[in-house]
Amino acid sequence: MSARKIDGAAIAAEIRGELKDRVAALAAAGRAPCLAVVLVGDNPASALYVRSKVRAGAELGIRSIEVIRPVAATTEDVLEIVCGLNADPAVDGILVQLPLPPQVDAQRVLVAVDPGKDVDGFHPINVGNLVAGRPGFLPCTPAGIMAMLQRSGIPVAGQNAVVVGRSDIVGKPMALLLLRHDATVTIAHSRTRDLAAVCRRADLLVAAVGRPGLLGREHIKPGAVVVDVGSNKLTERAEVERFFAADPRRLAEFERRGSTWIGDVDPVAVRELASAFTPVPGGVGPLTIAMLMANTVAAAELRRR
Ligand code: NDP
């Protein structure tokens, strides 16, 4: 069997195309949407994520405000910024880039964000709305995965779905969204007994763990749809050769850059056993930013009403 590769980049481009028209309509009515991004500290990965979010917004005509504070900022400093952005009528969406430095109380900061501007969907009000099946902002990665499944014609209702990982950002909201769409959902985690047997029950397997190639042949039911959220950088030659021995393009990339990306699922096993799968890179990743843009546009539309 040869698995269908789900092209996340193409689906994200489709979503961005639709958003462009809505942004243009808002701009024509007087004001383009505005996203405020708060970055505390000098974590290079966070700075890169912030840049790519600002750039993705700019391509759609979404304005961005970047608020950058040094790594020594206190919880009070960050709360003051968030309160200022909550009160600013020009700001539609607020995103606090995580992780925050250890001395900053991230929970207090996330709770301080106005739920109507919470485009990451992390505020307890929006989490509660998700649990209760009420409208609200959905966390971007799980929302992107649902959009990807729907746009790829992959059925969810009635399917046995297994989500591996129970983080507040990916695993838990993913499971809740699949439940909302009538899947029969199991959540697995580091304390799950016989993970392979649990995963093999899945018609739809979502891996959100953060362990390179953790799920292999023994975890995948033949014909399953596999969504790989994991985003792991491989820098050890032995690891790269173990997973990509038969992939000259990846080996060449490793020679050139000294690293390559892999998800939580063994890339060879998934191609052999799944009916459809999301590649890493180019699967779930592009959808996450597209959904952040979608939430920002929705926030702007709601605030104009
Ligand atoms: P977390 O570290 O917050 O959560 C990982 C989860 O995996 C935990 O629930 C943990 O269980 C579980 N886990 C860890 N080891 C095992 C194991 N051996 N067997 C079963 N379960 C295990 O990670 P995130 O949810 O934030 O992210 C997961 C992955 O997704 C990462 O690779 C991250 O980079 C990627 N990611 C990708 C995004 C994208 O846009 N493509 C967006 C967000 C994340 P327990 O709770 O018991 O500790």
Side-chain angles (χ1 to χ4, degrees):
M1 193 190 305
S2 174
R4 167 160 70 114
K5 183 153 78 171
I6 300 172
D7 187 345
I11 297 170
E14 193 177 289
I15 292 172
R16 285 198 304 271
E18 293 160 13
L19 290 175
K20 224 171 184 164
D21 296 339
R22 288 164 61 190
V23 173
L26 286 162
R31 196 157 54 80
C34 174
L35 173 66
V37 187
V38 182
L39 174 63
V40 185
D42 45 16
N43 178 336
S46 293
L48 183 71
Y49 291 143
V50 165
R51 274 202 304 281
S52 52
K53 288 165 186 175
V54 169
R55 196 171 48 234
E59 281 166 14
L60 297 181
I62 294 174
R63 284 197 318 120
S64 294
I65 298 174
E66 279 179 81
V67 186
I68 300 172
R69 288 292 181 273
V71 69
T74 63
T75 303
E76 271 61 36
D77 295 334
V78 185
L79 286 174
E80 196 182 312
I81 296 166
V82 168
C83 290
L85 295 170
N86 283 346
D88 186 342
V91 171
D92 297 302
I94 301 171
L95 178 155
V96 181
Q97 184 62 45
L98 300 176
L100 289 165
Q103 78 281 4
V104 178
D105 185 336
Q107 287 307 322
R108 273 184 73 197
V109 170
L110 294 181
V111 170
V113 173
D114 176 346
K117 297 187 178 186
D118 171 38
V119 286
D120 257 340
F122 295 161
H123 191 285
I125 296 260
N126 284 316
V127 176
N129 284 333
L130 170 59
V131 174
R134 292 162 60 97
F137 292 113
L138 298 173
C140 299
T141 302
I145 291 169
M146 287 314 301
M148 186 160 66
L149 294 173
Q150 284 160 351
R151 287 169 188 253
S152 304
I154 290 169
V156 172
Q159 302 290 306
N160 283 330
V162 174
V163 180
V164 190
R166 55 174 165 179
S167 71
D168 292 340
I169 293 171
V170 190
K172 263 186 230 164
M174 183 75 253
L176 287 162
L177 270 181
L178 288 166
L179 185 62
R180 181 186 279 192
H181 287 85
D182 299 323
T184 303
V185 183
T186 303
I187 307 178
H189 45 77
S190 68
R191 307 293 296 274
T192 295
R193 231 181 307 131
D194 200 349
L195 181 67
V198 172
C199 290
R200 273 199 313 274
R201 291 205 300 264
D203 306 309
L204 174 57
L205 180 61
V206 181
V209 182
R211 301 269 185 284
L214 173 77
L215 305 186
R217 235 170 270 284
E218 67 280 22
H219 298 84
I220 303 171
K221 175 164 108 173
V225 172
V226 180
V227 174
D228 192 351
V229 187
S231 177
N232 312 297
K233 196 173 187 175
L234 286 186
T235 52
E236 296 290 324
R237 178 178 298 275
E239 287 273 273
V240 176
E241 286 174 353
R242 179 177 147 219
F243 289 112
F244 296 108
D247 188 339
R249 209 175 41 85
R250 285 304 194 106
L251 295 172
E253 182 188 306
F254 177 69
E255 293 306 334
R256 216 171 44 246
R257 295 195 186 156
S259 66
T260 189
W261 292 95
I262 187 169
D264 294 337
V265 184
D266 182 319
V268 175
V270 77
R271 275 187 169 77
E272 280 176 14
L273 289 168
S275 59
F277 71 103
T278 63
V280 177
V284 173
L287 266 302
T288 298
I289 291 193
M291 295 321 279
L292 173 67
M293 299 300 126
N295 278 350
T296 305
V297 174
E301 288 170 345
L302 285 167
R303 295 184 66 250
R304 306 289 188 278
R305 259 176 230 155

